[in-house]
Amino acid sequence: MNKVIFDEAGCKGCVLCVDVCPKKILAPDKSRVNAKGYNPVVCNNMADCTACAICAKICPDSIITVERG
Amino acid sequence: MPNPNNEATRRVVYEKSRGLTDTPLTYCPGCTHGTINKLIAETLVELDVLEKSIAIAPVGCSVLAYEFFNCDAIQAAHGRAPAVATGIKRAEPSKVVFTYQGDGDLASIGTAEIIHAAHRGENITVIFVNNAIYGMTGGQMAPTTLVDQKTSTSPFGRAEATTGKPILVSEMMATIPSATYIERVSAHDVPHITKTKRAIKKAFENQINGKGFSMVEVLAGCPVGWNLSPVDSMKFIAETMIPYFPLGVYKDEGVAV
């Protein structure tokens, strides 16, 4: 399965990745805040991920790693 | 069919560039400075020049860029990055020297330095981040602020009658005979980010090949300074900034296009 890995501590909750994801499987986790005080973005349906890495390319803070496998 | 749980068949499609340090970026959420920082970092790694690169950080939001780029760096007085780059490049011509400057830095207090660095045909690379506002100091009006755009010092919008129209830096720089490569790009979505990376790569290749002065102007977002969400600020670039600041190559190989 493809994998999107977030370095959650670095997420600033800008949600640019959520906006550009073609599969619309990313969302901020409203139940948690990271040390910076933001809701970290998580992937809710990894099975649908195509590993296109568009989320990672737009992430200004380079906190997303995408693996195909 | 490969076993999906077999770690040996996994392939990293995208990860943080080793051209960036582990220091967390100090930019606001959704600020495209981070995007442009990583494009430069990726480019330096791909061109295999990271170890001999020297960054010149400006004054502004990106003043701490020397903490982020995983190469040697120095921070210049406001607007003077091209002058510092000139000195370093002339003393160490084998190094890859680039300045990273915002519009408050390059298009305002540093106008003389950037024009004359291009005028002398210095063999350096300039990355000019134009977000139409002074971000770090609190969202004041910049020379690049759009007419009617609200900022903390133009609360009713920039008034053309008293403050003129935004300066078009790429168009101006393209008139300088000794400038080699001038292009304006944008960082508001992934297709444009890909084009931005291509332009940045070309600007560095020009320097490595001794072709002279290259500048890439990148239209960038300032969600906090613009009082917009990060997603809306990307739309603002596409719908409002690009019509005034047209994208494209303004000069290539020293020939206006």
Side-chain angles (χ1 to χ4, degrees), chain A residues 13-53:
Chain A
C14 74
V15 303
L16 288 176
C17 55
V18 176
D19 186 56
V20 298
C21 173
K23 294 289 180 183
K24 301 293 170 201
I25 53 176
L26 305 180
D29 183 349
K30 300 278 188 191
S31 69
R32 291 184 297 138
V33 288
N34 62 14
K36 289 181 192 290
Y38 301 109
N39 298 126
V41 169
V42 294
C43 180
N44 291 320
N45 183 3
M46 208 65 96
D48 274 4
C49 177
T50 62
C52 68

PDB file of all heavy atoms in Angstrom, chain A residues 13-53:
ATOM      1  N   GLY A  13      -0.813  23.254   9.974  1.00  0.00           N
ATOM      2  CA  GLY A  13      -2.263  23.263   9.718  1.00  0.00           C
ATOM      3  C   GLY A  13      -2.707  24.212   8.615  1.00  0.00           C
ATOM      4  O   GLY A  13      -3.835  24.687   8.626  1.00  0.00           O
ATOM      5  N   CYS A  14      -1.825  24.485   7.641  1.00  0.00           N
ATOM      6  CA  CYS A  14      -2.204  25.429   6.570  1.00  0.00           C
ATOM      7  C   CYS A  14      -3.220  24.812   5.620  1.00  0.00           C
ATOM      8  O   CYS A  14      -3.886  25.521   4.873  1.00  0.00           O
ATOM      9  CB  CYS A  14      -0.971  25.912   5.810  1.00  0.00           C
ATOM     10  SG  CYS A  14      -0.230  24.704   4.692  1.00  0.00           S
ATOM     11  N   VAL A  15      -3.298  23.494   5.631  1.00  0.00           N
ATOM     12  CA  VAL A  15      -4.214  22.665   4.817  1.00  0.00           C
ATOM     13  C   VAL A  15      -4.088  22.868   3.302  1.00  0.00           C
ATOM     14  O   VAL A  15      -4.998  22.525   2.567  1.00  0.00           O
ATOM     15  CB  VAL A  15      -5.701  22.774   5.269  1.00  0.00           C
ATOM     16  CG1 VAL A  15      -5.842  22.383   6.723  1.00  0.00           C
ATOM     17  CG2 VAL A  15      -6.326  24.129   4.994  1.00  0.00           C
ATOM     18  N   LEU A  16      -2.957  23.375   2.835  1.00  0.00           N
ATOM     19  CA  LEU A  16      -2.759  23.432   1.381  1.00  0.00           C
ATOM     20  C   LEU A  16      -2.767  22.020   0.795  1.00  0.00           C
ATOM     21  O   LEU A  16      -3.297  21.792  -0.291  1.00  0.00           O
ATOM     22  CB  LEU A  16      -1.432  24.131   1.051  1.00  0.00           C
ATOM     23  CG  LEU A  16      -1.380  25.647   1.288  1.00  0.00           C
ATOM     24  CD1 LEU A  16       0.016  26.184   1.002  1.00  0.00           C
ATOM     25  CD2 LEU A  16      -2.396  26.372   0.433  1.00  0.00           C
ATOM     26  N   CYS A  17      -2.223  21.053   1.547  1.00  0.00           N
ATOM     27  CA  CYS A  17      -2.208  19.662   1.075  1.00  0.00           C
ATOM     28  C   CYS A  17      -3.627  19.117   0.974  1.00  0.00           C
ATOM     29  O   CYS A  17      -3.965  18.408   0.023  1.00  0.00           O
ATOM     30  CB  CYS A  17      -1.358  18.792   1.995  1.00  0.00           C
ATOM     31  SG  CYS A  17      -1.853  18.849   3.734  1.00  0.00           S
ATOM     32  N   VAL A  18      -4.460  19.452   1.952  1.00  0.00           N
ATOM     33  CA  VAL A  18      -5.858  18.995   1.954  1.00  0.00           C
ATOM     34  C   VAL A  18      -6.560  19.516   0.700  1.00  0.00           C
ATOM     35  O   VAL A  18      -7.311  18.808   0.041  1.00  0.00           O
ATOM     36  CB  VAL A  18      -6.580  19.501   3.226  1.00  0.00           C
ATOM     37  CG1 VAL A  18      -8.052  19.131   3.193  1.00  0.00           C
ATOM     38  CG2 VAL A  18      -5.905  18.951   4.478  1.00  0.00           C
ATOM     39  N   ASP A  19      -6.270  20.768   0.354  1.00  0.00           N
ATOM     40  CA  ASP A  19      -6.925  21.415  -0.785  1.00  0.00           C
ATOM     41  C   ASP A  19      -6.522  20.784  -2.117  1.00  0.00           C
ATOM     42  O   ASP A  19      -7.340  20.658  -3.014  1.00  0.00           O
ATOM     43  CB  ASP A  19      -6.576  22.910  -0.775  1.00  0.00           C
ATOM     44  CG  ASP A  19      -7.327  23.687  -1.844  1.00  0.00           C
ATOM     45  OD1 ASP A  19      -8.571  23.618  -1.833  1.00  0.00           O
ATOM     46  OD2 ASP A  19      -6.688  24.324  -2.681  1.00  0.00           O
ATOM     47  N   VAL A  20      -5.247  20.400  -2.256  1.00  0.00           N
ATOM     48  CA  VAL A  20      -4.785  19.937  -3.571  1.00  0.00           C
ATOM     49  C   VAL A  20      -4.891  18.427  -3.754  1.00  0.00           C
ATOM     50  O   VAL A  20      -4.777  17.949  -4.887  1.00  0.00           O
ATOM     51  CB  VAL A  20      -3.317  20.365  -3.859  1.00  0.00           C
ATOM     52  CG1 VAL A  20      -3.204  21.872  -3.882  1.00  0.00           C
ATOM     53  CG2 VAL A  20      -2.360  19.749  -2.860  1.00  0.00           C
ATOM     54  N   CYS A  21      -5.106  17.670  -2.694  1.00  0.00           N
ATOM     55  CA  CYS A  21      -5.143  16.200  -2.823  1.00  0.00           C
ATOM     56  C   CYS A  21      -6.248  15.792  -3.793  1.00  0.00           C
ATOM     57  O   CYS A  21      -7.431  16.061  -3.563  1.00  0.00           O
ATOM     58  CB  CYS A  21      -5.391  15.548  -1.466  1.00  0.00           C
ATOM     59  SG  CYS A  21      -5.635  13.756  -1.612  1.00  0.00           S
ATOM     60  N   PRO A  22      -5.886  15.127  -4.913  1.00  0.00           N
ATOM     61  CA  PRO A  22      -6.915  14.784  -5.905  1.00  0.00           C
ATOM     62  C   PRO A  22      -7.912  13.746  -5.389  1.00  0.00           C
ATOM     63  O   PRO A  22      -9.034  13.665  -5.879  1.00  0.00           O
ATOM     64  CB  PRO A  22      -6.120  14.233  -7.092  1.00  0.00           C
ATOM     65  CG  PRO A  22      -4.754  13.961  -6.587  1.00  0.00           C
ATOM     66  CD  PRO A  22      -4.536  14.737  -5.333  1.00  0.00           C
ATOM     67  N   LYS A  23      -7.515  12.955  -4.409  1.00  0.00           N
ATOM     68  CA  LYS A  23      -8.401  11.918  -3.863  1.00  0.00           C
ATOM     69  C   LYS A  23      -9.187  12.419  -2.652  1.00  0.00           C
ATOM     70  O   LYS A  23     -10.043  11.695  -2.124  1.00  0.00           O
ATOM     71  CB  LYS A  23      -7.572  10.680  -3.484  1.00  0.00           C
ATOM     72  CG  LYS A  23      -6.946   9.981  -4.676  1.00  0.00           C
ATOM     73  CD  LYS A  23      -8.011   9.272  -5.504  1.00  0.00           C
ATOM     74  CE  LYS A  23      -7.403   8.564  -6.704  1.00  0.00           C
ATOM     75  NZ  LYS A  23      -8.435   7.949  -7.547  1.00  0.00           N
ATOM     76  N   LYS A  24      -8.870  13.625  -2.191  1.00  0.00           N
ATOM     77  CA  LYS A  24      -9.566  14.224  -1.037  1.00  0.00           C
ATOM     78  C   LYS A  24      -9.572  13.288   0.181  1.00  0.00           C
ATOM     79  O   LYS A  24     -10.604  13.056   0.803  1.00  0.00           O
ATOM     80  CB  LYS A  24     -11.012  14.611  -1.411  1.00  0.00           C
ATOM     81  CG  LYS A  24     -11.092  15.607  -2.560  1.00  0.00           C
ATOM     82  CD  LYS A  24     -10.520  16.948  -2.173  1.00  0.00           C
ATOM     83  CE  LYS A  24     -10.361  17.891  -3.367  1.00  0.00           C
ATOM     84  NZ  LYS A  24      -9.385  18.975  -3.152  1.00  0.00           N
ATOM     85  N   ILE A  25      -8.396  12.735   0.478  1.00  0.00           N
ATOM     86  CA  ILE A  25      -8.318  11.799   1.610  1.00  0.00           C
ATOM     87  C   ILE A  25      -7.543  12.390   2.784  1.00  0.00           C
ATOM     88  O   ILE A  25      -7.284  11.704   3.768  1.00  0.00           O
ATOM     89  CB  ILE A  25      -7.661  10.462   1.185  1.00  0.00           C
ATOM     90  CG1 ILE A  25      -6.315  10.701   0.498  1.00  0.00           C
ATOM     91  CG2 ILE A  25      -8.599   9.670   0.281  1.00  0.00           C
ATOM     92  CD1 ILE A  25      -5.566   9.438   0.141  1.00  0.00           C
ATOM     93  N   LEU A  26      -7.167  13.674   2.683  1.00  0.00           N
ATOM     94  CA  LEU A  26      -6.446  14.314   3.782  1.00  0.00           C
ATOM     95  C   LEU A  26      -7.384  15.266   4.524  1.00  0.00           C
ATOM     96  O   LEU A  26      -8.262  15.875   3.924  1.00  0.00           O
ATOM     97  CB  LEU A  26      -5.238  15.098   3.267  1.00  0.00           C
ATOM     98  CG  LEU A  26      -4.222  14.344   2.405  1.00  0.00           C
ATOM     99  CD1 LEU A  26      -3.098  15.277   1.983  1.00  0.00           C
ATOM    100  CD2 LEU A  26      -3.668  13.152   3.151  1.00  0.00           C
ATOM    101  N   ALA A  27      -7.167  15.391   5.841  1.00  0.00           N
ATOM    102  CA  ALA A  27      -7.976  16.325   6.634  1.00  0.00           C
ATOM    103  C   ALA A  27      -7.249  16.621   7.934  1.00  0.00           C
ATOM    104  O   ALA A  27      -6.526  15.760   8.460  1.00  0.00           O
ATOM    105  CB  ALA A  27      -9.352  15.732   6.929  1.00  0.00           C
ATOM    106  N   PRO A  28      -7.424  17.831   8.463  1.00  0.00           N
ATOM    107  CA  PRO A  28      -6.839  18.099   9.774  1.00  0.00           C
ATOM    108  C   PRO A  28      -7.571  17.297  10.848  1.00  0.00           C
ATOM    109  O   PRO A  28      -8.791  17.156  10.789  1.00  0.00           O
ATOM    110  CB  PRO A  28      -7.054  19.607   9.964  1.00  0.00           C
ATOM    111  CG  PRO A  28      -8.096  20.005   8.989  1.00  0.00           C
ATOM    112  CD  PRO A  28      -8.123  18.984   7.897  1.00  0.00           C
ATOM    113  N   ASP A  29      -6.816  16.756  11.789  1.00  0.00           N
ATOM    114  CA  ASP A  29      -7.408  15.981  12.878  1.00  0.00           C
ATOM    115  C   ASP A  29      -7.833  16.946  13.985  1.00  0.00           C
ATOM    116  O   ASP A  29      -7.014  17.406  14.783  1.00  0.00           O
ATOM    117  CB  ASP A  29      -6.378  14.977  13.406  1.00  0.00           C
ATOM    118  CG  ASP A  29      -6.969  14.084  14.492  1.00  0.00           C
ATOM    119  OD1 ASP A  29      -8.086  14.394  14.965  1.00  0.00           O
ATOM    120  OD2 ASP A  29      -6.307  13.100  14.858  1.00  0.00           O
ATOM    121  N   LYS A  30      -9.131  17.254  14.007  1.00  0.00           N
ATOM    122  CA  LYS A  30      -9.632  18.277  14.941  1.00  0.00           C
ATOM    123  C   LYS A  30      -9.586  17.815  16.397  1.00  0.00           C
ATOM    124  O   LYS A  30      -9.793  18.619  17.310  1.00  0.00           O
ATOM    125  CB  LYS A  30     -11.088  18.640  14.580  1.00  0.00           C
ATOM    126  CG  LYS A  30     -11.262  19.191  13.176  1.00  0.00           C
ATOM    127  CD  LYS A  30     -10.931  20.661  13.094  1.00  0.00           C
ATOM    128  CE  LYS A  30     -11.298  21.222  11.732  1.00  0.00           C
ATOM    129  NZ  LYS A  30     -10.762  22.566  11.506  1.00  0.00           N
ATOM    130  N   SER A  31      -9.336  16.529  16.612  1.00  0.00           N
ATOM    131  CA  SER A  31      -9.338  16.031  17.989  1.00  0.00           C
ATOM    132  C   SER A  31      -8.000  16.227  18.686  1.00  0.00           C
ATOM    133  O   SER A  31      -7.867  15.968  19.868  1.00  0.00           O
ATOM    134  CB  SER A  31      -9.703  14.547  18.000  1.00  0.00           C
ATOM    135  OG  SER A  31      -8.657  13.792  17.411  1.00  0.00           O
ATOM    136  N   ARG A  32      -6.978  16.664  17.910  1.00  0.00           N
ATOM    137  CA  ARG A  32      -5.649  16.786  18.513  1.00  0.00           C
ATOM    138  C   ARG A  32      -5.008  18.114  18.108  1.00  0.00           C
ATOM    139  O   ARG A  32      -5.332  18.668  17.060  1.00  0.00           O
ATOM    140  CB  ARG A  32      -4.740  15.657  18.008  1.00  0.00           C
ATOM    141  CG  ARG A  32      -5.133  14.291  18.530  1.00  0.00           C
ATOM    142  CD  ARG A  32      -4.125  13.259  18.067  1.00  0.00           C
ATOM    143  NE  ARG A  32      -4.106  13.134  16.615  1.00  0.00           N
ATOM    144  CZ  ARG A  32      -2.988  13.021  15.899  1.00  0.00           C
ATOM    145  NH1 ARG A  32      -1.815  13.038  16.500  1.00  0.00           N
ATOM    146  NH2 ARG A  32      -3.052  12.916  14.596  1.00  0.00           N
ATOM    147  N   VAL A  33      -4.103  18.597  18.939  1.00  0.00           N
ATOM    148  CA  VAL A  33      -3.246  19.707  18.535  1.00  0.00           C
ATOM    149  C   VAL A  33      -1.797  19.295  18.760  1.00  0.00           C
ATOM    150  O   VAL A  33      -1.501  18.543  19.689  1.00  0.00           O
ATOM    151  CB  VAL A  33      -3.526  21.013  19.321  1.00  0.00           C
ATOM    152  CG1 VAL A  33      -4.838  21.637  18.919  1.00  0.00           C
ATOM    153  CG2 VAL A  33      -3.473  20.776  20.812  1.00  0.00           C
ATOM    154  N   ASN A  34      -0.899  19.778  17.886  1.00  0.00           N
ATOM    155  CA  ASN A  34       0.519  19.480  18.097  1.00  0.00           C
ATOM    156  C   ASN A  34       1.127  20.563  18.992  1.00  0.00           C
ATOM    157  O   ASN A  34       0.427  21.484  19.438  1.00  0.00           O
ATOM    158  CB  ASN A  34       1.256  19.326  16.760  1.00  0.00           C
ATOM    159  CG  ASN A  34       1.226  20.599  15.924  1.00  0.00           C
ATOM    160  OD1 ASN A  34       0.896  21.678  16.417  1.00  0.00           O
ATOM    161  ND2 ASN A  34       1.570  20.473  14.649  1.00  0.00           N
ATOM    162  N   ALA A  35       2.436  20.443  19.251  1.00  0.00           N
ATOM    163  CA  ALA A  35       3.088  21.374  20.177  1.00  0.00           C
ATOM    164  C   ALA A  35       3.037  22.812  19.679  1.00  0.00           C
ATOM    165  O   ALA A  35       3.107  23.760  20.465  1.00  0.00           O
ATOM    166  CB  ALA A  35       4.535  20.943  20.412  1.00  0.00           C
ATOM    167  N   LYS A  36       2.911  22.982  18.350  1.00  0.00           N
ATOM    168  CA  LYS A  36       2.805  24.342  17.805  1.00  0.00           C
ATOM    169  C   LYS A  36       1.405  24.912  17.993  1.00  0.00           C
ATOM    170  O   LYS A  36       1.170  26.096  17.762  1.00  0.00           O
ATOM    171  CB  LYS A  36       3.126  24.337  16.301  1.00  0.00           C
ATOM    172  CG  LYS A  36       4.578  24.087  15.940  1.00  0.00           C
ATOM    173  CD  LYS A  36       4.729  24.145  14.419  1.00  0.00           C
ATOM    174  CE  LYS A  36       6.063  23.630  13.936  1.00  0.00           C
ATOM    175  NZ  LYS A  36       7.192  24.505  14.273  1.00  0.00           N
ATOM    176  N   GLY A  37       0.447  24.037  18.320  1.00  0.00           N
ATOM    177  CA  GLY A  37      -0.921  24.499  18.534  1.00  0.00           C
ATOM    178  C   GLY A  37      -1.840  24.344  17.347  1.00  0.00           C
ATOM    179  O   GLY A  37      -2.902  24.955  17.295  1.00  0.00           O
ATOM    180  N   TYR A  38      -1.428  23.528  16.364  1.00  0.00           N
ATOM    181  CA  TYR A  38      -2.261  23.339  15.180  1.00  0.00           C
ATOM    182  C   TYR A  38      -2.843  21.927  15.151  1.00  0.00           C
ATOM    183  O   TYR A  38      -2.262  20.996  15.702  1.00  0.00           O
ATOM    184  CB  TYR A  38      -1.433  23.563  13.906  1.00  0.00           C
ATOM    185  CG  TYR A  38      -0.813  24.943  13.824  1.00  0.00           C
ATOM    186  CD1 TYR A  38       0.558  25.121  13.975  1.00  0.00           C
ATOM    187  CD2 TYR A  38      -1.603  26.064  13.599  1.00  0.00           C
ATOM    188  CE1 TYR A  38       1.120  26.391  13.907  1.00  0.00           C
ATOM    189  CE2 TYR A  38      -1.045  27.328  13.522  1.00  0.00           C
ATOM    190  CZ  TYR A  38       0.315  27.487  13.681  1.00  0.00           C
ATOM    191  OH  TYR A  38       0.882  28.724  13.613  1.00  0.00           O
ATOM    192  N   ASN A  39      -3.978  21.789  14.468  1.00  0.00           N
ATOM    193  CA  ASN A  39      -4.533  20.461  14.208  1.00  0.00           C
ATOM    194  C   ASN A  39      -3.693  19.816  13.103  1.00  0.00           C
ATOM    195  O   ASN A  39      -3.707  20.309  11.971  1.00  0.00           O
ATOM    196  CB  ASN A  39      -5.993  20.544  13.735  1.00  0.00           C
ATOM    197  CG  ASN A  39      -6.909  21.171  14.773  1.00  0.00           C
ATOM    198  OD1 ASN A  39      -7.623  22.136  14.492  1.00  0.00           O
ATOM    199  ND2 ASN A  39      -6.907  20.636  15.974  1.00  0.00           N
ATOM    200  N   PRO A  40      -2.976  18.745  13.398  1.00  0.00           N
ATOM    201  CA  PRO A  40      -2.135  18.151  12.343  1.00  0.00           C
ATOM    202  C   PRO A  40      -2.982  17.453  11.284  1.00  0.00           C
ATOM    203  O   PRO A  40      -4.018  16.866  11.591  1.00  0.00           O
ATOM    204  CB  PRO A  40      -1.275  17.136  13.107  1.00  0.00           C
ATOM    205  CG  PRO A  40      -2.056  16.811  14.333  1.00  0.00           C
ATOM    206  CD  PRO A  40      -2.885  18.016  14.671  1.00  0.00           C
ATOM    207  N   VAL A  41      -2.526  17.547  10.044  1.00  0.00           N
ATOM    208  CA  VAL A  41      -3.244  16.888   8.949  1.00  0.00           C
ATOM    209  C   VAL A  41      -2.904  15.397   8.962  1.00  0.00           C
ATOM    210  O   VAL A  41      -1.756  15.003   9.196  1.00  0.00           O
ATOM    211  CB  VAL A  41      -2.862  17.531   7.600  1.00  0.00           C
ATOM    212  CG1 VAL A  41      -3.383  16.688   6.433  1.00  0.00           C
ATOM    213  CG2 VAL A  41      -3.428  18.944   7.523  1.00  0.00           C
ATOM    214  N   VAL A  42      -3.923  14.578   8.735  1.00  0.00           N
ATOM    215  CA  VAL A  42      -3.725  13.127   8.658  1.00  0.00           C
ATOM    216  C   VAL A  42      -4.407  12.598   7.394  1.00  0.00           C
ATOM    217  O   VAL A  42      -5.236  13.281   6.796  1.00  0.00           O
ATOM    218  CB  VAL A  42      -4.326  12.397   9.890  1.00  0.00           C
ATOM    219  CG1 VAL A  42      -3.580  12.762  11.156  1.00  0.00           C
ATOM    220  CG2 VAL A  42      -5.812  12.709  10.029  1.00  0.00           C
ATOM    221  N   CYS A  43      -4.032  11.380   7.022  1.00  0.00           N
ATOM    222  CA  CYS A  43      -4.682  10.717   5.884  1.00  0.00           C
ATOM    223  C   CYS A  43      -5.750   9.767   6.414  1.00  0.00           C
ATOM    224  O   CYS A  43      -5.460   8.912   7.250  1.00  0.00           O
ATOM    225  CB  CYS A  43      -3.647   9.955   5.064  1.00  0.00           C
ATOM    226  SG  CYS A  43      -4.395   9.118   3.643  1.00  0.00           S
ATOM    227  N   ASN A  44      -6.962   9.943   5.931  1.00  0.00           N
ATOM    228  CA  ASN A  44      -8.074   9.152   6.452  1.00  0.00           C
ATOM    229  C   ASN A  44      -8.353   7.881   5.667  1.00  0.00           C
ATOM    230  O   ASN A  44      -9.149   7.061   6.092  1.00  0.00           O
ATOM    231  CB  ASN A  44      -9.358  10.008   6.470  1.00  0.00           C
ATOM    232  CG  ASN A  44      -9.261  11.098   7.511  1.00  0.00           C
ATOM    233  OD1 ASN A  44      -8.746  10.866   8.603  1.00  0.00           O
ATOM    234  ND2 ASN A  44      -9.729  12.289   7.166  1.00  0.00           N
ATOM    235  N   ASN A  45      -7.737   7.749   4.499  1.00  0.00           N
ATOM    236  CA  ASN A  45      -8.028   6.579   3.679  1.00  0.00           C
ATOM    237  C   ASN A  45      -6.797   6.244   2.840  1.00  0.00           C
ATOM    238  O   ASN A  45      -6.743   6.539   1.648  1.00  0.00           O
ATOM    239  CB  ASN A  45      -9.239   6.882   2.787  1.00  0.00           C
ATOM    240  CG  ASN A  45      -9.644   5.684   1.968  1.00  0.00           C
ATOM    241  OD1 ASN A  45      -9.056   4.604   2.090  1.00  0.00           O
ATOM    242  ND2 ASN A  45     -10.642   5.863   1.117  1.00  0.00           N
ATOM    243  N   MET A  46      -5.814   5.649   3.502  1.00  0.00           N
ATOM    244  CA  MET A  46      -4.534   5.399   2.840  1.00  0.00           C
ATOM    245  C   MET A  46      -4.697   4.477   1.630  1.00  0.00           C
ATOM    246  O   MET A  46      -3.917   4.548   0.681  1.00  0.00           O
ATOM    247  CB  MET A  46      -3.558   4.790   3.852  1.00  0.00           C
ATOM    248  CG  MET A  46      -2.112   5.074   3.560  1.00  0.00           C
ATOM    249  SD  MET A  46      -1.683   6.827   3.690  1.00  0.00           S
ATOM    250  CE  MET A  46      -1.039   6.905   5.352  1.00  0.00           C
ATOM    251  N   ALA A  47      -5.723   3.621   1.650  1.00  0.00           N
ATOM    252  CA  ALA A  47      -5.906   2.671   0.542  1.00  0.00           C
ATOM    253  C   ALA A  47      -6.166   3.395  -0.777  1.00  0.00           C
ATOM    254  O   ALA A  47      -5.845   2.880  -1.850  1.00  0.00           O
ATOM    255  CB  ALA A  47      -7.058   1.721   0.862  1.00  0.00           C
ATOM    256  N   ASP A  48      -6.718   4.616  -0.715  1.00  0.00           N
ATOM    257  CA  ASP A  48      -7.012   5.366  -1.931  1.00  0.00           C
ATOM    258  C   ASP A  48      -5.824   6.182  -2.443  1.00  0.00           C
ATOM    259  O   ASP A  48      -5.890   6.773  -3.517  1.00  0.00           O
ATOM    260  CB  ASP A  48      -8.190   6.327  -1.690  1.00  0.00           C
ATOM    261  CG  ASP A  48      -9.525   5.629  -1.912  1.00  0.00           C
ATOM    262  OD1 ASP A  48      -9.510   4.407  -2.161  1.00  0.00           O
ATOM    263  OD2 ASP A  48     -10.566   6.303  -1.824  1.00  0.00           O
ATOM    264  N   CYS A  49      -4.761   6.242  -1.658  1.00  0.00           N
ATOM    265  CA  CYS A  49      -3.613   7.084  -2.027  1.00  0.00           C
ATOM    266  C   CYS A  49      -2.930   6.520  -3.270  1.00  0.00           C
ATOM    267  O   CYS A  49      -2.647   5.332  -3.357  1.00  0.00           O
ATOM    268  CB  CYS A  49      -2.618   7.156  -0.873  1.00  0.00           C
ATOM    269  SG  CYS A  49      -1.146   8.103  -1.272  1.00  0.00           S
ATOM    270  N   THR A  50      -2.660   7.416  -4.240  1.00  0.00           N
ATOM    271  CA  THR A  50      -1.977   6.991  -5.461  1.00  0.00           C
ATOM    272  C   THR A  50      -0.494   7.352  -5.438  1.00  0.00           C
ATOM    273  O   THR A  50       0.198   7.180  -6.438  1.00  0.00           O
ATOM    274  CB  THR A  50      -2.623   7.649  -6.696  1.00  0.00           C
ATOM    275  OG1 THR A  50      -2.458   9.065  -6.565  1.00  0.00           O
ATOM    276  CG2 THR A  50      -4.095   7.316  -6.807  1.00  0.00           C
ATOM    277  N   ALA A  51      -0.034   7.879  -4.316  1.00  0.00           N
ATOM    278  CA  ALA A  51       1.371   8.292  -4.177  1.00  0.00           C
ATOM    279  C   ALA A  51       1.769   9.324  -5.232  1.00  0.00           C
ATOM    280  O   ALA A  51       2.887   9.320  -5.726  1.00  0.00           O
ATOM    281  CB  ALA A  51       2.316   7.088  -4.204  1.00  0.00           C
ATOM    282  N   CYS A  52       0.835  10.198  -5.576  1.00  0.00           N
ATOM    283  CA  CYS A  52       1.148  11.226  -6.578  1.00  0.00           C
ATOM    284  C   CYS A  52       2.067  12.298  -6.005  1.00  0.00           C
ATOM    285  O   CYS A  52       2.705  13.038  -6.744  1.00  0.00           O
ATOM    286  CB  CYS A  52      -0.133  11.860  -7.115  1.00  0.00           C
ATOM    287  SG  CYS A  52      -1.030  12.871  -5.914  1.00  0.00           S
ATOM    288  N   ALA A  53       2.071  12.419  -4.663  1.00  0.00           N
ATOM    289  CA  ALA A  53       2.979  13.332  -3.960  1.00  0.00           C
ATOM    290  C   ALA A  53       2.653  14.810  -4.183  1.00  0.00           C
ATOM    291  O   ALA A  53       3.470  15.672  -3.881  1.00  0.00           O
ATOM    292  CB  ALA A  53       4.446  13.058  -4.305  1.00  0.00           C
TER     293      ALA A  53
END
